[in-house]
Amino acid sequence: MILALLAVLQVARPAPAPPSATPGDTLPRVTLAEALRRAARVDPDYVRALGRIDNAEWSRRAARLAFLLPSITASVDATKYSTEFFNIGTGSLQSTAVTGRLTAGYELFSARKFVELGRSSAELASAEAGELEQRFLTALETERDYNAVLAGQELARVARERVRRAEEQLGVARARVLSGAAVQSDSLQLVLELVRARAALLNQESALRVARLQLGRRIGEDRAVDAVPADTAPAPELPLSLPEAVAAAVAQGPTYQAARANERAAEAQLRAERGGYLPEVTLAAGHARFDNRFFPGARNVSSVTLTVSLPVWNQGAREIAVSQARVNRDVFRAIREDLERAVRRDVTEAYDAYTTARATVELQTAAVAAARENFRVQETRYRAGATTVLDVLEAQLRLTEAEADLVQARYATRLALAGLEAILGRRLFPDEDVP
């Protein structure tokens, strides 16, 4: 009866994949370069960063044009009255009046124009720095999702290898039990291992399906997308030392550039609000036409006005705006100073993460070789009856763990590199296919 149970368990197979799941070999595949390009087009945060640049460019363009062009307004209105009145255009009593106006105004002196030009330039620099920062953050998230698919592929392969080894060992154990060379508990131990291996395979395949769907979402697809297998060559050494990386981050790191640009923009906004205390000199010209029909032309009146205004009190609105701008400037200054204090820690963390993961890959490669040889020896000894099934199971488990750890270390290296590049704001290993 026990042998019959073993036979049934040996031929049992994992449950089929859900009907909605698409086999990996039929899914659309993308390279990392393609995934990065497509993600940049659909990522909401990056689209928002690009829109902020467009808005800042228009703001600076308007600030520049304020020095060259006057503000111009044209209007035409027609009014019907219930009783007749003296129409200034026709010089007679009429119940209809049509008026056309053209007004132009130019600020001869206004501190607001100068500070607005500086503020708009600072806003543009802040938007450009924010776009660079968001570009690398989007790339980091894309690479994380892309590598999650690649790691899932490798881990699924490791899980299938575990199932294959468990099935082979169960066959060997059954033959030894039938021949009387081993007790029935050996087969039961291997049946348990086979069940665990198949359960682990199901979980890993489920995680891989989810990772493929997430990659599809990241690049703008409403379906699962597979990743083209990456090169498994050893990761190279970083092309710069830790002090050089710290200096590069301070000089051109997107996060630190954005912090400095935000502080400058806040300072410019504060100057703009303080400009409200200064007088303004405005030259305005107007031309009006009056009649009782379109287009009015019965009487024309032109005017030129020179206005000097000094704001005195506007219910404290100006003072509130200055206070808010000053607090905003102080906040951005504190953020910039905090980031500059943390730059060495951030760069060191990312730098060491890459070097540690790179060294871990070398160690795990040696561990896999040792675990594979140990499993081979234990399997041979068990076939010869020189060891127990528990030793074989222990060796098989260690081999599976070593292979999984190697996969995790290899892709941890890629993610650590992407994180360091996001801090530095540039690719450390330029590739013509990767933007």
Side-chain angles (χ1 to χ4, degrees):
M1 183 179 298
I2 294 178
L3 294 178
L5 174 62
L6 295 176
V8 171
L9 290 175
Q10 183 180 8
V11 299
R13 290 293 181 267
S20 59
T22 306
D25 55 355
T26 62
L27 291 175
R29 285 189 170 189
V30 295
T31 62
L32 178 58
E34 182 182 358
L36 291 173
R37 284 192 293 268
R38 295 178 62 178
R41 293 197 298 265
V42 299
D43 181 72
D45 293 330
Y46 187 68
V47 173
R48 185 182 299 112
L50 290 177
R52 187 184 171 200
I53 290 180
D54 188 60
N55 293 337
E57 287 178 340
W58 265 108
S59 179
R60 187 178 65 168
R61 190 177 297 119
R64 288 176 172 176
L65 291 176
F67 287 89
L68 303 175
L69 301 177
S71 59
I72 300 174
T73 303
S75 64
V76 177
D77 63 79
T79 306
K80 178 68 174 178
Y81 296 93
S82 59
T83 60
E84 294 184 344
F85 76 105
F86 181 76
N87 190 320
I88 191 176
T90 62
S92 60
L93 295 175
Q94 292 179 333
S95 62
T96 302
V98 178
T99 305
R101 294 183 180 89
L102 179 64
T103 306
Y106 183 78
E107 295 178 336
L108 297 177
F109 173 79
S110 174
R112 183 181 57 82
K113 290 201 300 184
F114 294 94
V115 295
E116 182 64 21
L117 181 60
R119 187 200 65 80
S120 61
S121 297
E123 285 286 348
L124 179 58
S126 174
E128 290 173 344
E131 182 273 335
L132 179 62
E133 179 184 21
Q134 188 57 51
R135 186 196 315 166
F136 276 92
L137 290 177
T138 300
L140 177 61
E141 293 299 323
T142 304
E143 291 194 48
R144 180 177 286 114
D145 293 339
Y146 191 89
N147 286 317
V149 173
L150 295 180
Q153 294 173 353
E154 292 295 316
L155 291 175
R157 177 189 58 78
V158 170
R160 286 191 291 271
E161 285 294 313
R162 180 184 178 184
V163 171
R164 182 188 61 78
R165 287 192 292 265
E167 290 174 344
E168 290 179 355
Q169 291 303 314
L170 181 58
V172 173
R174 288 188 62 224
R176 287 175 54 80
V177 169
L178 291 174
S179 66
V183 296
Q184 295 175 351
S185 62
D186 286 7
S187 294
L188 294 176
Q189 290 284 352
L190 290 168
V191 166
L192 180 59
E193 165 61 16
L194 179 58
V195 171
R196 290 173 176 172
R198 287 175 176 172
L201 177 59
L202 287 176
N203 290 331
Q204 189 54 54
E205 289 177 341
S206 175
L208 178 57
R209 286 193 295 271
V210 173
R212 285 167 170 165
L213 288 170
Q214 174 61 23
L215 178 59
R217 172 201 173 191
R218 178 69 61 185
I219 64 174
E221 292 281 351
D222 58 357
R223 55 178 176 171
V225 174
D226 206 3
V228 175
D231 186 9
T232 57
E237 292 185 2
L238 292 173
L240 72 174
S241 63
L242 179 56
E244 292 173 339
V246 173
V250 173
Q252 64 184 30
T255 300
Y256 313 103
Q257 288 188 51
R260 290 191 292 268
N262 289 336
E263 182 186 3
R264 290 194 299 270
E267 181 68 36
Q269 181 64 38
L270 177 58
R271 290 195 300 269
E273 298 298 341
R274 286 173 174 170
Y277 289 94
L278 300 176
E280 294 183 358
V281 180
T282 305
L283 179 65
H287 179 76
R289 290 171 175 259
F290 304 93
D291 207 337
N292 65 338
R293 58 187 176 83
F294 285 100
F295 186 81
R299 186 171 185 178
N300 303 334
V301 178
S302 299
S303 64
V304 177
T305 306
L306 179 65
T307 304
V308 179
S309 63
L310 177 64
V312 179
W313 177 250
N314 60 346
Q315 305 300 322
R318 177 180 52 191
E319 284 68 24
I320 293 174
V322 170
S323 177
Q324 291 174 341
R326 182 171 55 252
V327 171
N328 195 44
R329 186 274 314 271
D330 293 341
V331 169
F332 280 111
R333 176 175 296 173
I335 292 174
R336 188 263 304 167
E337 292 174 348
D338 178 69
L339 287 174
E340 289 180 350
R341 288 192 298 268
V343 61
R344 183 172 295 276
R345 185 201 68 84
D346 295 341
V347 175
T348 301
E349 181 181 21
Y351 194 97
D352 288 350
Y354 178 81
T355 55
T356 301
R358 180 172 175 270
T360 302
V361 170
E362 297 178 359
L363 296 175
Q364 290 298 333
T365 300
V368 168
R372 186 174 289 116
E373 179 63 17
N374 179 56
F375 174 72
R376 186 191 66 79
V377 171
Q378 294 295 340
E379 182 183 32
T380 302
R381 294 184 63 193
Y382 180 72
R383 290 175 182 268
T387 189
T388 65
V389 69
L390 295 179
D391 294 330
V392 176
L393 290 176
E394 178 70 15
Q396 181 171 325
L397 179 61
R398 293 292 175 264
L399 175 57
T400 300
E401 291 177 347
E403 291 176 338
D405 291 342
L406 176 59
V407 172
Q408 298 288 3
R410 184 182 297 124
Y411 290 101
T413 305
R414 297 177 182 271
L415 290 179
L417 177 61
L420 181 58
E421 290 175 337
I423 293 177
L424 299 181
R426 64 186 178 94
R427 291 284 178 181
L428 295 177
F429 303 103
D431 188 338
E432 61 181 7
D433 294 330
V434 179

